[in-house]
């Protein structure tokens, strides 16, 4: 007969079910030239679903739509963007008023912005590479990440919006976490996951529903039990000869 069982619930700790300026040298004798053109913001090399769009140019005579900006009929060439039509001269960045007719733009909060202004005023910063995110954003650990910057610490594959676990501050996908740190149930051989009720007996760890008599499958949780060849047995089958 074996002593009382140690039971518990695996803790859930770690389970996660995510102004412009120029610096001078202070010398008045150095003439200031025109401010250099800002470089075009570049998406992360592996950014997916980039937010940057381009307007489509429609020649005159095709049709006479209404301009989404001034609500006047457009007679002549026009632009199509975000499912609406625009006078070319009225499709501008909401912040700096730069024309967006021939450059990329991003829609944000019902307005359109050039890439520069979107990057400066709206785009979140990736926690890993510290560059702006111009595509899909992963929200995890109260931070924002590029898809290919939030990776499993072992397999180095993107975790995306899947469940992950933390170990020593590093994120792991479920498969690698249980492979490296998980405890397997001796009964079903599946991992005992966070929140699962478990018990320890015969030198092994079991799901509470897996600790049953090897002969009749009666649950043995909280019950007196016997064992033979490391297999639990109820009192009725304690002397079973063949297992």
């Amino acid at each position: 007969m074996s002593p009382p069982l140690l039971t518990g619930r695996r803790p859930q700790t770690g389970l996660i079910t995510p102004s412009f300026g120029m610096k001078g040298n202070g010398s008045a004798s150095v003439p200031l030239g025109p401010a250099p053109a800002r470089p075009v913001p570049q998406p992360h090399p592996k950014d997916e679903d980039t937010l940057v769009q381009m307007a489509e140019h429609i020649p005159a005579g095709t049709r006479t739509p209404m301009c989404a900006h001034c609500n006047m009929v457009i007679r002549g060439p026009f632009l199509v963007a975000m499912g609406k039509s625009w006078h070319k001269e009225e499709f501008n960045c909401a912040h700096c008023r730069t024309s967006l007719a021939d450059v990329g733009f991003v829609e944000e909060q019902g307005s359109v912005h050039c890439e520069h202004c979107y990057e400066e005023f709206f785009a979140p910063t990736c926690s890993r590479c510290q560059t702006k995110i111009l595509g899909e954003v992963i929200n995890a650990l109260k931070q924002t990440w590029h898809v290919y910057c939030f990776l499993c610490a072992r397999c180095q594959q993107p975790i995306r919006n899947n469940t992950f676990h933390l170990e020593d501050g590093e994120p792991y996908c479920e498969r690698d976490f249980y492979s490296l740190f998980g405890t397997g149930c001796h009964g079903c051989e599946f991992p005992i996951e966070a929140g699962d009720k478990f018990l320890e007996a015969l030198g092994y760890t079991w799901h509470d529903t897996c600790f049953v008599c090897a002969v009749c499958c009666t649950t043995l949780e909280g019950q007196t039990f016997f064992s033979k060849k490391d297999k639990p047995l109820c009192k009725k089958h304690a002397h079973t000869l063949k297992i």
Side-chain angles (χ1 to χ4, degrees):
M1 183 174 69
S2 299
L5 304 176
L6 296 175
T7 64
R9 185 177 297 273
R10 190 173 180 84
Q12 296 193 13
T13 303
L15 174 64
I16 313 296
T17 325
S19 63
F20 301 118
M22 184 178 296
K23 183 181 293 185
N25 58 11
S27 173
S29 62
V30 180
L32 297 177
R38 289 181 291 171
V40 175
Q42 296 298 315
H44 187 272
K46 292 184 178 181
D47 250 338
E48 296 186 350
D49 300 325
T50 178
L51 301 176
V52 180
Q53 305 177 56
M54 290 289 293
E56 180 184 0
H57 287 255
I58 306 297
T62 307
R63 59 182 187 273
T64 53
M66 300 289 287
C67 175
H69 178 77
C70 67
N71 291 320
M72 300 294 288
V73 173
I74 304 175
R75 301 186 185 283
F78 61 96
L79 303 175
V80 171
M82 304 178 298
K84 301 177 182 179
S85 302
W86 313 74
H87 284 109
K88 182 176 180 180
E89 63 274 13
E90 292 182 325
F91 189 59
N92 304 316
C93 173
H95 182 78
C96 69
R97 310 310 301 171
T98 297
S99 173
L100 302 176
D102 299 299
V103 298
F105 70 90
V106 180
E107 182 182 8
E108 178 68 23
Q109 298 178 3
S111 299
V112 290
H113 305 270
C114 66
E115 293 181 63
H116 299 292
C117 291
Y118 176 79
E119 183 183 64
E120 178 150 358
F121 299 110
F122 298 101
T125 300
C126 176
S127 179
R128 181 179 183 183
C129 68
Q130 295 301 307
T131 61
K132 295 292 187 175
I133 305 173
L134 299 179
E136 182 181 353
V137 179
I138 298 297
N139 293 285
L141 306 178
K142 297 182 179 180
Q143 300 175 81
T144 52
W145 315 71
H146 288 106
V147 170
Y148 283 87
C149 283
F150 189 63
L151 310 175
C152 170
R154 185 187 192 189
C155 68
Q156 292 297 299
Q157 293 301 306
I159 295 175
R160 298 180 182 274
N161 291 315
N162 297 316
T163 299
F164 65 91
H165 300 261
L166 286 178
E167 184 69 27
D168 293 331
E170 295 289 340
Y172 292 83
C173 65
E174 278 199 293
R175 183 182 64 182
D176 286 333
F177 177 82
Y178 287 117
S179 173
L180 293 171
F181 312 109
T183 299
C185 172
H186 188 65
C188 66
E189 298 184 353
F190 283 97
I192 297 175
E193 300 182 1
D196 287 352
K197 191 176 180 182
F198 69 95
L199 55 85
E200 295 177 348
L202 304 178
Y204 302 103
T205 304
W206 313 68
H207 287 111
D208 63 325
T209 54
C210 292
F211 190 64
V212 297
C213 173
V215 177
C216 66
C217 294
T218 298
T219 181
L220 298 175
E221 182 187 8
Q223 306 296 319
T224 298
F225 67 96
F226 300 81
S227 66
K228 186 174 184 180
K229 298 179 182 179
D230 284 338
K231 294 184 178 181
L233 297 167
C234 66
K235 184 176 181 179
K236 179 180 178 180
H237 296 103
H239 302 291
T240 299
L241 296 179
K242 295 182 179 181
I243 298 180

